[in-house]
Amino acid sequence: MKASEQPKKTHAAVLRALEVANLALGRAVTIEEIIEALAPEERVLLERTYDFPLGAVIGSILKLLSVPSENRGLVYSPGLTNSRRRCFASTRVLKPEEAALPEAVTRRELVVALVRHAALELGRAVRIVDAIKFAEDRPEYARLSASQIQNAIIAAHVKGELISMPLRGLHRNLYLPADLNPEDYAPPKPLHWIEWVKAAFEDLWDEHVRDAKELGRLPRPATTRQVRARLVEMGCDDPKLQDKATVVNALWELSKHSNAALRRISRRSRKSLFWCPVDVPDDGLDLGNAYASDLERVGAAVARATARLERPVTLREIEQEVENDSALRPMNYPSVSKAVTAAVDYLDSDGNAKTRSGYIQGHVQSIGLLKAKALYYPTIGNAEQARAYVEFRQLEEAWEELRADEQLYEAQGCRLPTVAVGRVRLLALQARRFAGRLRGMIGAGELKGKWADEAEILIERAEAIDERARDWPLPFAVGEHQLPEQPSDLVPTLTKEELRALLHPIYPHLQQKVERAYQVTTLLSNRIRRVSTLFSLHKQYDRTDALFFAARRFGGKECVFLAGLASAELGLLRDPTFIFPAVEAADPDARLAAVACLAFLQTEKGSDLLKTRVMKDNEKGIRQSALWAYAFAQGEWAHDLATVMMRHDGAEEVREFAAQIAKADGAAIWLL
């Protein structure tokens, strides 16, 4: 061929690769084999020159070189392969009668060769995804699609040309040519997520079995948290480990499959799960001392404490159980109290358990308060009897606070006979109610055993007080008054918010320490009486007792004097009906005591009677005290009455006192 007749560089590169392939294989070759014979620089030349796939470019050049002409006719095609792929040969290398076609290779045989090639290069058996990825950059396999490789591997496995090796997971999806030894090509580490989780569980279970043999007990099941920790120890580099949910999801998958490798042991909460091999029964496990979560540990501590003490328990008693057994110590919470808070089912207004989340069911229920301490009980226990116990102890506590014997004695020293009668009748009413409620609880079976015996003792004490109160002699001066047989036991109350608003202007320590209403209870402790009401599940503050506290702590001489007088006279009586008759008593001391009581009870009728005393009482001192009491009770005519008193009583001390009353406003009145 002349120099002017030389082919283009690209054509020459293809022709050279064709001849190299013909010489190497001794036969006609396919386009894929020609591509494999290209030198790197020739491949780069073709890719830069043409903007088409390399196989299409080579096919077009071969077609041009096969056309007879002055500088062509150098290539010919002896035919097609059995897979309908055309073969080519160079006239300068192979004569047409000598050009043999490639041996017939089926797609399945080609895929088996692919699996062999991949296994030898990777050094292990391969998954279908490994084979597909391996074929991507090999031109000899370029004509195979991912679905064709998958179907061919399955067909070769059925015919025995490929063997499968089981992963640690559920699926048998590692493949190897049948003539290779599986032991030599076993993967050195897990290949995907489900296999990592299965390997971690098996390693953990082997450790549990060894520990059980050393300690002479049954093995304990594994928890999700332990499996996750073992994955970290094994060096798992799968990004799914960063998401906690993927571990439990993988364990669920390993337990739900028809060929399950493990099984789950459900606890009271969906998140509290144990895992063990599928062939290990419950009686082959140590389930009594195994806990899947801190919530279960706390629940077990509460159950042990209640079984030992036979009643609901406090936080300190739960902590004592944890101290006695280190297996109950929380692992994810900084303290037992935090774990108890997370494990509690709180009760709604109907006494039903109300969980913090609809997904997690609590292991402990909060039964109530006793002496400002919360009591806890297992959710699987008899909550009705536990609540009855708490109510019984609350009644017992309230009875002790009542100090019934002291009240009967103190009633004898009252200045006002009507008040003495009211206090004794109120005490009798409370004693009957205590005894009646306790008898009802015993009759309904809410209190049993030693609780019922203790309740019987308290009933006897209450009935004895009731009998003594009924036999208490009425003072002679009461006969002319129409007093109610049953005094009102309703107590005017203040909420924490109302008490904070009441004390805030005059209580410096409260201003500094209390930012929220609930802190009032901590600050005041038991210095103000608290009572249960019909409209709240929580105790509220006795308004009259709160006024006594404020008057004694921050009041002036008049304020402190009248507060002490009223407090000693009233006791626990809050019914003003027993005060009204004494306002017009002949004895000045009785009228003064009545004025003091009405100042702190603060009723509408009481304010009207105080106003009358200011205008009509014969004693100047009582008029002054009545004016102070009327102003203290927020009487709307306090300023006008003060002006009238200044004109009526000319004494200097009266004028000064009345002027202070006239100027007083709101809480400042307490400082007089």
Side-chain angles (χ1 to χ4, degrees), residues 102-135:
E103 295 182 3
V105 178
T106 64
R107 183 184 299 163
R108 189 180 71 253
E109 293 172 337
L110 185 61
V111 170
V112 171
L114 168 63
V115 172
R116 180 185 301 277
H117 193 178
L120 292 175
E121 183 164 323
L122 296 176
R124 60 171 175 82
V126 298
R127 299 169 295 176
I128 292 177
V129 66
D130 295 328
I132 293 173
K133 187 175 182 179
F134 188 83

Side-chain angles (χ1 to χ4, degrees), residues 12-34:
V14 173
L15 182 60
R16 190 202 68 80
L18 172 64
E19 292 174 347
V20 169
N22 290 152
L23 287 172
L25 299 175
R27 58 171 173 80
V29 294
T30 63
I31 291 178
E32 289 80 6
E33 293 170 332
I34 296 173

Side-chain angles (χ1 to χ4, degrees), residues 288-302:
N289 298 309
Y291 307 104
S293 67
D294 285 344
L295 305 187
E296 284 195 4
R297 293 182 180 90
V298 169
V302 173

Side-chain angles (χ1 to χ4, degrees), residues 437-458:
R437 176 55 187 149
L438 290 174
R439 288 211 177 278
M441 295 172 69
I442 294 174
E446 297 175 2
L447 294 177
K448 298 179 180 179
K450 64 179 183 180
W451 298 354
D453 296 338
E454 293 182 21
E456 289 286 357
I457 296 174
L458 187 57

Side-chain angles (χ1 to χ4, degrees), residues 467-485:
E467 184 177 353
R468 289 172 57 189
R470 289 174 179 272
D471 296 339
W472 193 76
L474 289 176
F476 176 77
V478 175
E480 60 186 16
H481 302 294
Q482 296 294 326
L483 299 177
E485 289 294 330

Side-chain angles (χ1 to χ4, degrees), residues 603-622:
T603 62
E604 183 177 353
K605 183 176 179 180
S607 295
D608 293 339
L609 292 175
L610 289 173
K611 183 170 63 174
T612 302
R613 285 300 95 198
V614 175
M615 300 298 296
K616 296 182 178 181
D617 202 277
N618 297 327
E619 295 288 337
K620 182 174 66 174
I622 295 179

Side-chain angles (χ1 to χ4, degrees), residues 77 154 168 188 195 205 222 243 278 399 467 470 525 529 555 559 561 582 650:
S77 173
I154 295 174
R168 291 184 177 88
E195 188 183 2
W205 178 252
D243 185 359
V278 68
W399 179 259
E467 184 177 353
R470 289 174 179 272
S525 185
R529 178 178 174 238
C559 187
F561 169 69

Side-chain angles (χ1 to χ4, degrees), residues 235-505:
C236 176
D237 55 358
D238 196 299
K240 290 182 179 180
L241 183 59
Q242 305 304 319
D243 185 359
K244 292 183 178 181
T246 56
V247 178
V248 69
N249 291 342
L251 291 170
W252 274 82
E253 287 299 323
L254 288 167
S255 67
K256 291 191 299 183
H257 198 270
S258 58
N259 188 26
L262 53 91
R263 68 184 182 91
R264 62 185 177 87
I265 302 173
S266 297
R267 312 297 284 179
R268 297 189 59 257
S269 170
R270 286 180 60 191
K271 277 194 173 181
S272 298
L273 297 176
F274 282 144
W275 308 95
C276 70
V278 68
D279 56 345
V280 178
D282 284 353
D283 55 10
L285 297 170
D286 179 9
L287 296 176
N289 298 309
Y291 307 104
S293 67
D294 285 344
L295 305 187
E296 284 195 4
R297 293 182 180 90
V298 169
V302 173
R304 292 185 190 180
T306 54
R308 177 171 57 87
L309 300 173
E310 298 181 355
R311 58 170 173 79
V313 293
T314 63
L315 177 61
R316 182 65 192 95
E317 291 163 342
I318 299 172
E319 292 173 339
Q320 185 62 49
E321 291 295 333
V322 175
E323 293 173 4
N324 295 338
D325 187 354
S326 60
L328 300 177
R329 186 175 298 115
M331 304 178 67
N332 295 323
Y333 289 91
S335 64
V336 176
S337 62
K338 296 289 185 183
V340 170
T341 301
V344 164
D345 272 352
Y346 292 92
L347 303 181
D348 57 22
S349 57
D350 297 327
N352 299 319
K354 182 174 60 176
T355 59
R356 289 189 162 196
S357 166
Y359 187 70
I360 302 176
Q361 184 179 6
H363 295 259
V364 182
Q365 52 186 320
S366 177
I367 296 296
L369 293 174
L370 188 62
K371 295 183 179 179
K373 294 183 179 179
L375 294 178
Y376 303 99
Y377 204 70
T379 52
I380 59 175
N382 192 332
E384 293 298 327
Q385 286 195 359
R387 281 192 287 270
Y389 168 83
V390 175
E391 183 181 355
F392 164 59
R393 291 306 184 194
Q394 290 172 342
L395 289 172
E396 185 180 45
E397 181 182 354
W399 179 259
E400 297 300 332
E401 292 177 356
L402 193 59
R403 298 180 293 108
D405 291 311
E406 294 181 26
Q407 285 203 57
L408 278 177
Y409 177 77
E410 291 173 358
Q412 299 176 6
C414 288
R415 290 183 176 86
L416 305 179
T418 55
V419 171
V421 172
R423 291 178 61 172
V424 171
R425 290 181 178 177
L426 176 62
L427 183 60
L429 173 64
Q430 292 171 330
R432 288 195 298 272
R433 288 186 175 175
F434 269 107
R437 176 55 187 149
L438 290 174
R439 288 211 177 278
M441 295 172 69
I442 294 174
E446 297 175 2
L447 294 177
K448 298 179 180 179
K450 64 179 183 180
W451 298 354
D453 296 338
E454 293 182 21
E456 289 286 357
I457 296 174
L458 187 57
I459 290 172
E460 292 177 2
R461 293 173 58 189
E463 290 179 342
I465 291 295
D466 181 26
E467 184 177 353
R468 289 172 57 189
R470 289 174 179 272
D471 296 339
W472 193 76
L474 289 176
F476 176 77
V478 175
E480 60 186 16
H481 302 294
Q482 296 294 326
L483 299 177
E485 289 294 330
Q486 182 170 301
S488 173
D489 59 347
L490 295 179
V491 179
T493 58
L494 297 173
T495 63
K496 292 188 291 290
E497 293 78 7
E498 293 170 339
L499 181 62
R500 177 174 179 267
L502 185 69
L503 297 180
H504 190 271

